[in-house]
Amino acid sequence: MDLLQKDWVKQLEEDNNSVVLDVRTQEEVNEGIIPNALHIDIFKGQGFIYEVDQLDKTKNYYVYCKAGGRSAQACAIMNRLGFKNTYNLVGGFSEWQGDVAFKE
């Protein structure tokens, strides 16, 4: 499901069963990441599917990329794998107004 940033953030803040998933490349992640996000690069192809399939399908996933395209694709893949609740951040990280963390 596509959510605008304010709705994505509000819903995420009220959700105690949530995982934030960043599907960008490592180079993009090096420029900053939404705090506590899990990173799995969608460009890994089959590797992405394999890694995502290992995740807990009972959780709610808040997915983002740089602009919203790859994360929408990731949500569609996850839904096919049996994830019931995936939320795509419209506008992605490029329009993100919240906190930014940097991985070591």
Side-chain angles (χ1 to χ4, degrees):
M1 181 194 319
D2 289 343
L3 291 177
L4 294 172
Q5 184 171 161
K6 63 178 179 20
D7 301 321
W8 193 87
V9 169
K10 181 176 187 295
Q11 189 170 314
L12 176 59
E13 285 171 349
E14 295 168 355
D15 189 341
N16 59 10
N17 190 38
S18 63
V19 176
V20 176
L21 178 63
D22 184 323
V23 299
R24 298 175 302 158
T25 65
Q26 186 60 52
E27 291 72 32
E28 289 171 309
V29 166
N30 294 342
E31 296 167 15
I33 192 167
I34 294 176
N36 304 313
L38 178 66
H39 173 233
I40 305 176
D41 182 354
I42 194 168
F43 287 149
K44 284 183 178 174
Q46 189 62 43
F48 172 80
I49 292 169
Y50 177 77
E51 283 189 53
V52 164
D53 203 29
Q54 307 301 305
L55 300 174
D56 183 346
K57 293 183 175 69
T58 66
K59 294 199 176 293
N60 304 319
Y61 289 85
Y62 294 79
V63 187
Y64 72 95
C65 63
K66 187 168 186 174
R70 282 171 286 170
S71 48
Q73 194 182 355
C75 287
I77 291 167
M78 292 171 77
N79 293 341
R80 284 200 299 275
L81 290 171
F83 291 85
K84 299 218 176 349
N85 299 313
T86 59
Y87 304 101
N88 178 37
L89 177 60
V90 173
F93 192 76
S94 60
E95 294 181 22
W96 178 247
Q97 316 257 299
D99 294 340
V100 174
F102 293 91
K103 295 252 185 214
E104 289 303 313

